[in-house]
């Protein structure tokens, strides 16, 4: 396959990464958005998204003449070999995926697509969406293809260029094989299947990861109650090749732009199919309960939240991104404020504007007069903070590490106490003793 003419509709995390990477693979890519100011910035090589390697990839694509940005999809789609739909599919009423953006694009370009142009869903869409798009198109000569993305924020470019697998599904086998060929230079296994199965792969994978995270958070809670250490437990689990090491780190809950909406959407799909997906529903309930447990843990560590001054380190849903969509860190910080705490927060990639808290631009400012400091996002820079200086600034001595990120001994040496998840509490009295030194 030679150079393909590709249109990517949407320039968010998925769309911009997809467009820039496909241009990097040698295709001619036109990225489309409705935001004129954003299109102008991108055409000038300015990338607003915090994503390692993405700005450089965009610049190379622009310089090589293989990447361009325009407003409106209709003209570009009229001469395309493939159109990727990378528009938002947020959680709608009752948890179902909201497909209005997808349907709007199909309505806009459906009648101008060249015959045999592949219309490809890259956004996460419910099982059966390909059939729904075919009905909206009303054209037998335009194949609809499902090609779900598996991009993690913070590593999206690396994930695209070095994928675990490439999943392509269509009821038109030749169209699916042609789309798979767009990735010919990537060394990854291809899974070519029907559209419904390809759509299900994305939900099945994301929901499995969500359940795995809820599971390890529940195990961490048991470890605390039974005197076990979650680090040793997950190390022992991780050597089992049937389980693996990924997604075995406890935290304040899972969030972001994908897992919350995908879990709710699959529950809705299951309900519509007459299946009570109790297992997945329980993982969602457990995730909400985890945030409540974290707030209770913090309250116990500082002796109550009403009137307490709490320093918060991290607001993004994960390190390496500025995304706060359904962020467990932001949720916990907001809950602390709702319980009467004075919240001073810092995140290296997230600015202010959140009700009930003061967001500062220096991590040491969160410690001034604080009764406790809470680590909520796993930014590596928090490991390197001067905890002796932080201790001097604090009023209290509690450090609650909801990511098990810090070196407990460094915190203890500063004269503070350390409390992680699923691990024995460490205080100055214990001075490095791994035994439990009280519970919050």
């Amino acid at each position: 396959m030679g150079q393909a003419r590709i249109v990517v509709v949407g320039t968010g995390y998925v769309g911009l990464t997809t467009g820039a990477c496909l241009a990097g693979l040698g295709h001619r890519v036109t990225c489309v958005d409705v935001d004129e100011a954003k299109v102008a910035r991108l055409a000038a090589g300015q990338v607003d998204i915090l994503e390692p390697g993405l700005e450089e990839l965009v610049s190379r694509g622009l310089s090589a003449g293989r990447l361009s940005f325009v407003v409106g999809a209709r003209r570009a789609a009229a001469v395309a070999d493939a159109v990727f739909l990378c528009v938002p599919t947020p959680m709608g009423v009752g948890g179902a995926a909201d497909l209005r953006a997808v349907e709007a694009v199909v309505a806009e370009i459906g009648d101008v697509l060249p015959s045999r142009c592949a219309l490809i869903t890259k956004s996460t869409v419910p099982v059966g969406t390909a059939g729904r798009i075919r009905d909206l198109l009303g054209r037998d000569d335009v194949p609809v293809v499902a090609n779900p993305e598996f991009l993690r924020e913070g590593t999206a470019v690396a994930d695209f260029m070095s994928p675990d697998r490439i999943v392509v599904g269509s009821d038109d086998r030749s169209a699916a094989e042609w789309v798979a060929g767009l990735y010919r230079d990537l060394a990854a296994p291809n899974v070519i299947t029907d559209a419904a199965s390809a759509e299900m792969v994305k939900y099945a994978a994301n929901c499995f990861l969500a359940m795995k995270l809820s599971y390890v958070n529940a195990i961490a809670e048991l470890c605390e109650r039974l005197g076990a250490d979650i680090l040793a437990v997950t190390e022992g689990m991780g050597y089992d090749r049937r389980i693996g090491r990924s997604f075995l780190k406890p935290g304040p809950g899972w969030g972001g732009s994908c897992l919350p909406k995908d879990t709710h959407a699959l529950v809705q799909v299951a309900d519509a199919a007459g299946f009570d997906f109790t297992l997945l529903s329980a993982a969602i309930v457990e995730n909400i309960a985890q945030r409540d447990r974290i707030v209770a843990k913090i309250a116990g560590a500082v002796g109550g939240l009403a009137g307490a001054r709490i320093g918060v380190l991290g607001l993004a849903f994960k390190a390496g991104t500025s995304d706060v969509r359904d962020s467990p860190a932001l949720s916990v910080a907001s809950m602390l404020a709702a319980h009467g705490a004075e919240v001073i927060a810092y995140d290296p990639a997230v600015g202010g504007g959140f009700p009930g808290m003061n967001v500062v631009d220096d991590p040491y400012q969160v410690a001034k007069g604080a009764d406790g400091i809470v680590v909520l996002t796993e930014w590596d820079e928090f490991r390197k903070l001067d905890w002796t200086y932080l201790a001097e600034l604090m009023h209290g001595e509690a450090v609650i590490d909801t990511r098990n990120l810090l070196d407990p001994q460094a915190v203890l040496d500063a004269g503070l106490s350390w409390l992680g998840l699923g691990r024995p509490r460490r205080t100055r009295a214990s001075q490095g003793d791994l035994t439990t030194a009280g519970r919050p």
Side-chain angles (χ1 to χ4, degrees), residues 114-189:
S115 181
R116 297 306 298 170
C117 172
L119 185 56
I120 305 160
T121 54
K122 199 70 171 172
S123 304
T124 304
V125 294
V127 179
T129 299
R132 185 171 174 179
I133 291 175
R134 281 196 302 272
D135 292 340
L136 290 172
L137 275 175
R139 294 181 57 177
D140 294 332
D141 63 328
V142 174
V144 179
V145 181
N147 176 214
E149 53 85 15
F150 301 96
L151 308 178
R152 298 166 297 170
E153 291 184 34
T155 59
V157 171
D159 290 342
F160 190 103
M161 302 305 284
S162 301
D164 294 326
R165 75 289 203 197
I166 296 167
V167 177
V168 184
S170 178
D171 296 339
D172 183 330
R173 178 80 182 188
S174 63
E177 292 174 346
W178 183 86
V179 171
L182 296 173
Y183 304 96
R184 65 192 180 280
D185 292 334
L186 302 182

Side-chain angles (χ1 to χ4, degrees), residues 30-386:
T30 301
C31 290
V32 175
D33 207 289
V34 296
D35 186 333
E36 294 185 12
K38 184 179 184 181
V39 167
R41 290 195 302 273
L42 288 170
Q46 300 174 18
V47 176
D48 300 330
I49 298 170
L50 179 61
E51 194 62 55
L54 184 55
E55 187 168 6
E56 294 80 0
L57 202 57
V58 168
S59 295
R60 287 201 298 269
L62 289 169
S63 298
R66 291 194 300 267
L67 182 64
S68 61
F69 298 90
V70 301
V71 177
R74 193 171 171 83
R75 177 179 295 182
V79 293
D81 299 313
V83 175
F84 283 81
L85 302 181
C86 301
V87 294
T89 55
M91 191 187 308
V93 177
D98 184 343
L99 296 178
R100 284 179 294 180
V102 172
E103 293 169 350
V105 175
V106 174
E108 178 186 357
I109 67 174
D111 63 330
V112 301
L113 292 172
S115 181
R116 297 306 298 170
C117 172
L119 185 56
I120 305 160
T121 54
K122 199 70 171 172
S123 304
T124 304
V125 294
V127 179
T129 299
R132 185 171 174 179
I133 291 175
R134 281 196 302 272
D135 292 340
L136 290 172
L137 275 175
R139 294 181 57 177
D140 294 332
D141 63 328
V142 174
V144 179
V145 181
N147 176 214
E149 53 85 15
F150 301 96
L151 308 178
R152 298 166 297 170
E153 291 184 34
T155 59
V157 171
D159 290 342
F160 190 103
M161 302 305 284
S162 301
D164 294 326
R165 75 289 203 197
I166 296 167
V167 177
V168 184
S170 178
D171 296 339
D172 183 330
R173 178 80 182 188
S174 63
E177 292 174 346
W178 183 86
V179 171
L182 296 173
Y183 304 96
R184 65 192 180 280
D185 292 334
L186 302 182
N190 288 344
V191 178
I192 299 178
T193 183
D194 59 277
S197 297
E199 291 165 343
M200 179 59 92
V201 167
K202 178 59 185 292
Y203 279 103
N206 273 5
C207 292
F208 179 82
L209 296 177
M211 290 190 290
K212 192 174 182 182
L213 287 170
S214 285
Y215 178 78
V216 78
N217 281 336
I219 291 297
E221 179 66 18
L222 271 179
C223 284
E224 289 186 27
R225 299 186 183 206
L226 300 176
D229 189 327
I230 189 64
L231 294 191
V233 172
T234 54
E235 181 183 11
M237 293 171 64
Y239 282 113
D240 190 326
R241 287 172 292 182
R242 298 168 301 175
I243 297 173
R245 296 184 179 278
S246 64
F247 285 74
L248 282 184
K249 293 182 179 179
W254 39 268
S257 62
C258 293
L259 296 190
K261 74 179 183 68
D262 290 353
T263 50
H264 281 89
L266 190 56
V267 167
Q268 290 296 314
V269 168
D271 286 345
F275 175 63
D276 183 6
F277 206 153
T278 306
L279 184 62
L280 183 55
S281 297
I284 296 171
V285 171
E286 170 62 28
N287 191 49
I288 296 171
Q290 179 69 358
R291 301 181 188 190
D292 292 332
R293 285 196 293 263
I294 294 296
V295 171
K297 185 186 296 290
I298 297 167
V302 301
L305 293 175
R309 184 179 175 95
I310 306 296
V312 166
L313 293 174
L315 293 172
F317 91 94
K318 63 178 285 189
T321 177
S322 58
D323 198 345
V324 294
R325 286 176 289 180
D326 216 328
S327 167
L330 181 58
S331 176
V332 168
S334 298
M335 292 168 70
L336 293 173
H339 282 80
E342 179 187 0
V343 176
I344 313 297
Y346 166 80
D347 188 289
V350 178
F354 304 106
M357 68 187 77
N358 179 22
V359 180
V360 296
D361 58 6
D362 184 330
Y364 293 99
Q365 291 184 45
V366 307
K368 292 181 179 179
D371 295 293
I373 292 178
V374 185
V375 177
L376 290 174
T377 308
E378 70 282 18
W379 288 99
D380 189 60
E381 72 174 70
F382 297 157
R383 301 177 193 265
K384 304 168 186 175
L385 293 174
D386 183 343

